[in-house]
Amino acid sequence: MTVLASALDTSAPEYAAHRAAMLAKLDDLAAEHAKAVAGGGEKYTARHRARGRLTARERIELLLDPDTPFLELSPLAAWGSDYAVGASLVTGIGVVEGVECLITANDPTVRGGASNPWTLKKALRANEIAAANRLPVVSLVESGGADLPSQKEIFIPGGGLFRDLTRLSAAGVPTVAVVFGNSTAGGAYVPGMSDHVIMVKEQAKVFLGGPPLVRMATGEESDDESLGGAEMHARVSGLADYFAVDEKDALRQARRVVARLNWRKTADRPGHVEPPLHDEDELLGIVPGDLKVPFDPREVIARLVDGSDFDEFKPRYGTSLVTGWARLHGHPLGILANAQGVLFSEESQKAAQFIQLANQRDIPLLFLHNTTGYMVGRAYEQGGIIKHGAMMINAVSNSRVPHLSVLMGASYGAGHYGMCGRAYDPRFLFAWPSAKSAVMGPQQLAGVLSLVARASAAAGGRPYDEEADAALRAMVEQQIEAESLPAFLSGRLYDDGVIDPRDTRTVLGICLSAVHGAPVEGARGGFGVFRM
Ligand code: COA
């Protein structure tokens, strides 16, 4: 039998404590998500509605097929920055006329929908997802363009947005722009670069320069409608392919455009789908509040994969890393999951071999993170831990099958890299509220800094101020702890979102379906030099 049994005791006090800690973190997270949903707040939302307009999320809802899910991406973008949580843009994956699309919608209630540095990062990430997974893109546009005070951060890299749209088009991935309002200056190139363009009557404003700018530049007197209204673009310039009488009509027409794309996924359809045998709700009670306490990732796998059916690979070797084969929502999947936290030479080599196998068989990989990094110490250095860690990182870097990463607990040091951290281009990366990620743990980092300062004082023959040291350690610990938390990392776009553990199977199911928009072809060779 390869069906995983569960040893999770749901009546144990530890389970109740883990669950309570996770629920408390989920409450905090919900409060942050609510900020993104609130957009620019009551005043600006009321003004927007008084103009007879729909909000960004209402537009998305009307675009999607009824009762289908929307996987919102990076909802906490800009968290902890000077800009509104959500970064004045909603992005995500949803189904339109049966076609999975990457949808972006400016939030005009936040500073007129203007793009700040985090908006740009979020939009570029959405484009990356569309390109890697060949998802048609629907842009719901109403934006004041560049957030002018932060223009130095966005003007030059912002060109990438228009480059991406035209490259998607060149790659045969359809792009649709629906213009609900302002789309001026650089913003005019969103409809300009899209394959299909819909504009809303008396609302769309698509011009390179508005009336004041035109007057400054040439002295010509003009008005919004003649420079860039929907009527003009549909009848005169030809930039609009479709003229919509109102917002709902525009969304209806967008659905018709997608229905006529003749879009077919290139990769295989999923096979038979079975729910896990064990309850997904119990995912709340597995990760301890204190990440120093290890947990068995098989308890997680048993609640994620079809039929809880998991064929473990090398179960007796390198036991701090669990590897094996399963299916999730009918898609084949290889899983690498940290067990005891530390990665040793055996685990690293096992991972490298497993990743190669997945590439030979064209099977996507899921990385479940709970690692404090690669083992340090004389015996391990002498045993070649650098070489072996490098093998794993080489395999992850040059693997060609889609990778999905979920940070369940710790994701520290080079362990974050070997487990396909953000810089290793996983197709999607999500964190649980329990996750923490940094170069090392806060206590360790503060301790290292203190030892270095102590050695430096000794070398210079200076006395060491123990009191100042204790204060510095406490401060550094606090800072690193705050910078390791999921909301902080998500705010910086280091993941695609922080998710409720109970939603993990659904989220991964949507991601696996999305990655099969492009052919899943592993690397048959093309790895770097493996140091043996
Ligand atoms: N950069 C920074 N802040 C901007 C902005 C931008 N591009 N566009 C709007 N805002 C701010 C406004 O200053 C205002 O702030 P406040 O409420 O604190 O005063 C808030 O966003 C809402 O703008 P407002 O003009 O009241 O909203 P509106 O819905 O009536 O109009 C626009 C929205 C986008 C049509 C209008 O603000 C505008 O024309 N903005 C400039 C557009 C532009 O030229 N952008 C440069 C392109 S590169």
Side-chain angles (χ1 to χ4, degrees), residues 43-44 47-48 51 53 83 108-116 142-151 154-155 181-188 205 207-210 213 224:
K43 177 181 147 195
Y44 288 99
R47 189 179 75 166
H48 187 70
R51 292 170 172 170
R53 300 197 182 197
Y83 300 97
T109 68
V110 185
R111 289 173 78 81
S115 290
N116 60 56
E142 179 168 13
S143 163
D147 181 275
L148 293 171
S150 59
Q151 68 83 27
I154 45 180
F155 165 58
N182 216 62
S183 179
T184 61
K205 279 188 210 170
F207 35 64
L208 292 181
L213 191 145
D224 285 352

Side-chain angles (χ1 to χ4, degrees), residues 235-296:
R235 287 186 190 280
V236 184
S237 78
L239 178 61
D241 305 314
Y242 303 96
F243 176 83
V245 294
D246 58 22
E247 297 203 7
K248 288 182 179 158
D249 185 38
L251 293 161
R252 182 190 62 78
Q253 295 200 47
R255 289 178 52 78
R256 291 311 304 151
V257 167
V258 175
R260 294 290 187 195
L261 290 176
N262 190 26
W263 189 246
R264 288 148 301 179
K265 283 194 167 194
T266 38
D268 300 341
R269 311 285 302 169
H272 173 67
V273 181
E274 256 183 86
L277 287 187
H278 305 286
D279 192 351
E280 288 169 69
D281 184 72
E282 291 165 0
L283 288 168
L284 290 178
I286 297 175
V287 183
D290 176 3
L291 292 180
K292 289 199 186 70
V293 181
F295 62 90
D296 187 349

